[in-house]
Amino acid sequence: MAHITLKDIAHSYTGASDNPDDYALKKLNLTWRDGGAYALLGPSGCGKTTLLNIISGLLTPTKGQVLFNDEDVTRLPTEQRNIAQIFQFPVIYDTMTVFQNLAFPLKNRGRTQVEIEPRVIELAKMLGLENDLYTKAQHLTADAKQKISLGRGLIRQSVNAILFDEPLTVIDPQLKWELRSQLKYLHKQFGFTMIYVTHDQTEALTFADEVIVMYEGEIVQVGTPEALFERPEHTFVGYFIGSPGMNITPCELKGDRIFIEGHEITLETHYKEQLASAKIEVGIRPEYLSLAQPQDKGLPVNIIKIDDIGRHKIARVALNDSVFHVVMPEMSGMTGDKASLVFDTAHTNIYVNDHLIAGEKP
Amino acid sequence: MIQKQINQKAWFMVLPVFLLVAFSAVIPLMTVVNYSFQDTFGSNKFFWVGMDWFRDLMHSERFHDAFLRQIAFSSIILAIEIPLGIAIALAMPKKGWGVPVCLISMSLPLLIPWNVVGTIWQIFGRVDIGLLGHTLASLGIDYNYTQDPIAAWLTIIAMDVWHWTSLVVLLSYAGLCSIPDAYYQAAKIDGASRISVFRYIQLPKMQGVLLIAVLLRFMDSFMIYTEPFVITGGGPGNSTTFMSIDLVKMAIGQFDLGPAAAMSLVYFLIILLLSWVFYTVMSNVGEESSKGGA
C-alpha cells in the first residue's frame, strides 16, 4: 500500500525530443492517494495506457519521476514494484489450469501451497470460477478467460495498486455490470488503490471517486463525477462527458452579459474583460436548457428535430448557425417549429481558449 | 415443389483433377505395388511371387541396418536442430535493422540446392584442399570422412544442421513474433522468471509451428539422399548408407525391381506411421500435462 506520485512525467515513444508533438504524454503531475478509486478517462490514443504502463514500470518515462511513498521507483523493474495490472484482452497461461493460473503470481513470489490454496479458492468463488478450477484455461470462453486475468490481478493482497486497462471491453454487458460492482465491493473491502482506464464515461463515473480526464497527452481535469458534470474545466471535458455533451457556442462577453448571435443573456457572475483575440465560448449542459413558448422571453430558435430516448426527449434547436441540444422531461405543450430557448444562468460556464474562467459575484 | 435437377454431366468437370492425380500419384504408386509382387529376368517377362519380397525384406539384415542408421540419423538431427533452432530464434532481435539481417542470413542455406550443399561440404571436409579437413589435420586431429565412419557421420550431421536449422529458426521466430506483447507484460506483473516465460508462454504458443518443424525435419531427414550420396556415396563401407541410398542401389544399381518396390512401399509406410505418431503425440502434449490438476 502506498500513495503514488508522478512528478513532471513526460513520455515520447521516439526518445527524448524538443518537439512537443513527439510526446504521447506531455508533462504531468499527479498524486494517487492510497486506497483511492480512480478512473482515467479519455478517447483512444490520448495516453491513458502509456500513463498506466509508466506506473507499473512496463515503460520507463522519457522525463520525470515515479514515486511510491516518496521513494523513487522510476528505474525499478515491474517485478519489484508490487503492482497488479489487468489488460484489455485476456492473458492466460494456456497450458495451466484455472487454479494454476490464479496461483501463478503467488507461486512466483515464493508463497507456500498452504497459503495459496485458500486464497485461490476464495477468489475463484468471488469471480464465479469455482467450478472450473481444474479445467485447462485455454478451453474456457473469452468471458471466463478475462475473469482469470482479473483474478490474477486481484490475488495478491498487499499490492501497491491495481491497474485496470479497459478490462471489461470483451465482456458481455450484463456480466460487465456485475464485475464492476464486484470490483467496487473489493475496493471497499480491501482498500486497494485502483486505477481504472476506460473510454466509457458511464464506467468511469460509476466506478471512481475521482476521475482524471485526459486529452491528447494532457490531463485536462481531475475531479469528482459531479465536478466533471457541473463545471468542466476544458471544453473537451464538456463534450466528452454527458450524453449528449455540453453545448458550446461562440459568444461575446461584456461584464456579466453575453451575446449569442446578437441576443443578450445576463449572467449571475461578472467576468473580467478578455483579450480581443481570445476565443470566447459559452458552455451549458443540455439538462440546464429549456424551451418555452415562442412568445415568452428567451432566444428565438427553430426546432430541427426531437429524439425520444425513453426517459426524456432531446431536442435539437438552431439559432442561426448555432445548434443546441435541449433535454426535456416531456413535450410541454410545444406546437410548431418555433420556440424560446431559456438558459439556467446558474449553470452557464464561460470558456476562454477552451479553458473555464471563473467569474465574480457582483 | 422444387424439382431437384439431376445432372451427371458435372462429373466431367472434375475429370481433369482425376486425370492429374492418376498420372502423378495413383498410377506410379500402383506400378510400384505391381512390381513388388512380381519377379523378372529381363526382356519384360514377369512372374507372380506373392509376398516373397516382403518376407525377404523383413528378414534382410541389410534392410535392418539401413533402417537403424536412418532412425539414428533422424533422431540425432531432430535432437540438435529443434533445440538449436528455438535457441537461435529466441536470441534473434524483434525489431530494428537486425531483423532483416538475421532473416536473410538465416534463409541463405535454405536457398542452396541439395547437391550443391553436398559438394560444398565434400570439398570443405577434404583433408588435402578443404578448409575444415585441412585445418583439423594440421591441428593433429585424425579426421578423414572417406575412411573413418565416425568422421563421415559427423560431417553429414554438421552439414544437415548447417543446411536445415534455419528452417526451424524461421518457423520458431514466426511463432514467437505472433505472441502479443500483453503476454510478456502480464508475465512481468506476475513476477514470472525468464524460464517460466519460456515454459508457460513461448513454448505453448510455439507448439503449432514446432509441430510443423518437427514433421518437416523428420520427413526430410528420413528421406535424405542427395547430400550423403555426394559426400560419401554411402561409405565408408555401408556406414552412411541410409534407406534411400540403399533403395537406389537396389533399384538402379542392381536392377532388383521387385525387392526395391517392396522396400519403397515399406519405407513409405514407415514414414507415414512415424509422422502420424509425431503428430498425435505433439498435438496432445498440452492436453496431457494439464490433467494433473493443481
Side-chain angles (χ1 to χ4, degrees):
Chain A
M1 301 282 170
H3 64 265
I4 298 169
T5 312
L6 303 179
K7 218 166 127 187
D8 300 329
I9 288 286
H11 188 75
S12 153
Y13 284 100
T14 49
S17 145
D18 292 329
N19 181 2
D21 289 343
D22 287 345
Y23 283 83
L25 271 189
K26 287 160 195 144
K27 194 167 152 183
L28 53 88
N29 283 288
L30 202 60
T31 301
W32 317 81
R33 264 181 305 104
D34 185 15
Y38 295 93
L40 211 52
L41 182 65
S44 304
C46 71
K48 294 167 297 186
T49 303
T50 308
L51 186 59
L52 215 57
N53 288 346
I54 285 173
I55 298 172
S56 64
L58 294 171
L59 271 180
T60 308
T62 316
K63 291 178 187 162
Q65 288 175 305
V66 183
L67 309 176
F68 285 10
N69 282 339
D70 306 322
E71 184 201 341
D72 187 353
V73 296
T74 317
R75 312 266 150 206
L76 207 63
T78 307
E79 299 87 324
Q80 291 167 34
R81 290 199 190 185
N82 203 14
I83 284 265
Q85 186 170 355
I86 293 125
F87 300 91
Q88 185 171 3
F89 294 101
V91 173
I92 53 149
Y93 302 105
D94 289 337
T95 53
M96 296 190 198
T97 61
V98 173
F99 185 103
Q100 290 167 325
N101 259 284
L102 293 176
F104 195 57
L106 295 177
K107 224 171 179 173
N108 287 327
R109 287 174 175 80
R111 305 292 168 76
T112 59
Q113 193 68 25
V114 188
E115 286 175 274
I116 294 173
E117 203 162 333
R119 177 77 190 127
V120 168
I121 290 169
E122 185 196 347
L123 192 66
K125 275 193 189 131
M126 215 179 290
L127 294 167
L129 287 169
E130 70 269 30
N131 295 326
D132 295 322
L133 268 180
Y134 300 103
T135 321
K136 213 164 89 168
Q138 80 180 99
H139 298 315
L140 299 177
T141 59
D143 276 358
K145 282 182 184 172
Q146 189 63 343
K147 282 191 194 171
I148 297 173
S149 290
L150 273 172
R152 278 209 325 276
L154 299 167
I155 192 101
R156 288 180 284 146
Q157 275 162 315
S158 61
V159 286
N160 283 320
I162 306 180
L163 315 179
F164 300 89
D165 191 355
E166 310 197 24
L168 303 180
T169 313
V170 292
I171 306 248
D172 283 346
Q174 170 59 20
L175 191 62
K176 209 179 210 171
W177 191 84
E178 252 171 59
L179 283 175
R180 208 160 52 215
S181 6
Q182 193 71 260
L183 288 179
K184 213 143 176 154
Y185 166 78
L186 284 171
H187 176 254
K188 284 214 181 75
Q189 203 180 10
F190 298 111
F192 294 126
T193 309
M194 290 185 172
I195 303 174
Y196 193 104
V197 164
T198 177
H199 60 252
D200 176 348
Q201 48 163 314
T202 333
E203 210 162 87
L205 299 180
T206 51
F207 177 81
D209 309 329
E210 211 165 307
V211 180
I212 292 123
V213 186
M214 290 186 69
Y215 179 58
E216 290 185 344
E218 281 176 289
I219 292 174
V220 287
Q221 187 166 5
V222 180
T224 58
E226 296 80 53
L228 295 181
F229 187 79
E230 295 287 344
R231 295 187 66 75
E233 279 171 21
H234 191 277
T235 49
F236 169 75
V237 181
Y239 283 126
F240 196 66
I241 294 191
S243 172
M246 192 177 235
N247 296 301
I248 293 170
T249 310
C251 68
E252 280 169 54
L253 180 67
K254 277 197 189 109
D256 62 351
R257 290 172 303 157
I258 54 169
F259 298 89
I260 303 172
E261 309 265 353
H263 299 276
E264 183 183 328
I265 296 171
T266 307
L267 302 178
E268 293 181 359
T269 48
H270 188 277
Y271 293 91
K272 281 200 200 86
E273 196 167 334
Q274 301 295 325
L275 290 175
S277 60
K279 181 176 77 169
I280 299 172
E281 287 162 310
V282 58
I284 184 161
R285 291 273 172 209
E287 288 79 358
Y288 297 126
L289 283 174
S290 53
L291 292 180
Q293 296 298 339
Q295 64 273 21
D296 293 345
K297 198 168 169 287
L299 272 53
V301 291
N302 289 317
I303 299 173
I304 305 171
K305 194 179 168 204
I306 292 175
D307 288 321
D308 191 339
I309 60 161
R311 275 172 303 149
H312 51 247
K313 292 186 172 63
I314 296 173
R316 240 171 103 80
V317 300
L319 177 68
N320 297 337
D321 287 337
S322 305
V323 173
F324 296 87
H325 287 108
V326 183
V327 167
M328 299 184 297
E330 58 196 71
M331 285 303 293
S332 38
M334 301 296 299
T335 51
D337 58 359
K338 298 258 184 252
S340 278
L341 183 66
V342 181
F343 276 61
D344 179 348
T345 47
H347 293 101
T348 305
N349 298 324
I350 299 293
Y351 295 90
V352 173
N353 293 334
D354 289 326
H355 290 276
L356 181 72
I357 55 164
E360 296 146 19
K361 295 269 174 197
Chain B
M1 271 241 343
I2 299 162
Q3 280 284 320
K4 198 176 171 186
Q5 279 250 322
I6 294 170
N7 188 352
Q8 302 288 8
K9 278 182 204 145
W11 289 106
F12 287 106
M13 301 290 180
V14 286
L15 197 64
V17 179
F18 274 124
L19 286 176
L20 203 69
V21 173
F23 278 104
S24 70
V26 180
I27 295 176
L29 185 70
M30 283 306 130
T31 318
V32 174
V33 172
N34 190 29
Y35 281 146
S36 72
F37 294 104
Q38 301 189 63
D39 195 3
T40 177
F41 300 107
S43 62
N44 234 357
K45 285 189 186 128
F46 287 87
F47 311 90
W48 176 258
V49 292
M51 299 295 286
D52 278 6
W53 296 134
F54 291 93
R55 219 170 283 128
D56 286 356
L57 191 69
M58 290 302 118
H59 297 108
S60 150
E61 206 163 304
R62 176 177 161 181
F63 178 72
H64 292 171
D65 289 349
F67 176 69
L68 288 178
R69 272 194 289 273
Q70 191 67 67
I71 290 282
F73 178 72
S74 288
S75 316
I76 293 170
I77 289 304
L78 286 179
I80 296 173
E81 287 177 11
I82 299 295
L84 185 65
I86 295 173
I88 295 174
L90 286 172
M92 266 167 66
K94 295 283 174 294
K95 53 179 176 232
W97 56 269
V99 177
V101 172
C102 286
L103 287 179
I104 291 171
S105 50
M106 279 297 142
S107 332
L108 280 180
L110 299 175
L111 298 174
I112 303 173
W114 288 259
N115 54 350
V116 176
V117 172
T119 313
I120 290 173
W121 280 79
Q122 203 260 353
I123 296 169
F124 189 46
R126 275 173 67 167
V127 184
D128 49 352
I129 56 166
L131 186 62
L132 174 74
H134 193 70
T135 312
L136 288 175
S138 326
L139 290 171
I141 299 165
D142 185 20
Y143 167 84
N144 188 341
Y145 65 80
T146 55
Q147 283 160 21
D148 177 13
I150 294 176
W153 268 74
L154 289 177
T155 310
I156 292 175
I157 288 167
M159 178 217 63
D160 200 86
V161 168
W162 177 82
H163 194 184
W164 288 112
T165 305
S166 303
L167 180 74
V168 184
V169 173
L170 293 179
L171 284 168
S172 307
Y173 187 72
L176 284 174
C177 286
S178 70
I179 303 174
D181 265 352
Y183 278 83
Y184 295 112
Q185 296 180 335
K188 277 190 195 163
I189 299 284
D190 291 340
S193 62
R194 184 69 195 81
I195 292 169
S196 298
V197 170
F198 177 69
R199 166 77 185 75
Y200 297 114
I201 297 174
Q202 293 172 323
L203 206 52
K205 294 278 172 207
M206 278 196 291
Q207 195 185 326
V209 289
L210 282 182
L211 174 64
I212 295 171
V214 168
L215 280 179
L216 282 178
R217 280 318 299 133
F218 166 72
M219 291 190 293
D220 242 18
S221 66
F222 212 79
M223 297 188 293
I224 191 166
Y225 174 76
T226 317
E227 299 99 314
F229 180 76
V230 173
I231 298 178
T232 63
N238 271 334
S239 63
T240 55
T241 302
F242 301 118
M243 278 167 85
S244 59
I245 296 184
D246 201 23
L247 181 64
V248 173
K249 273 185 190 169
M250 195 185 285
I252 296 169
Q254 301 160 219
F255 218 72
D256 285 334
L257 285 188
M263 182 174 168
S264 47
L265 284 179
V266 173
Y267 192 7
F268 168 66
L269 291 176
I270 291 171
I271 293 186
L272 204 63
L273 175 76
L274 287 176
S275 297
W276 177 78
V277 169
F278 272 121
Y279 182 80
T280 316
V281 169
M282 286 197 63
S283 39
N284 283 329
V285 94
E287 310 289 318
E288 295 300 319
S289 63
S290 73
K291 284 186 185 140

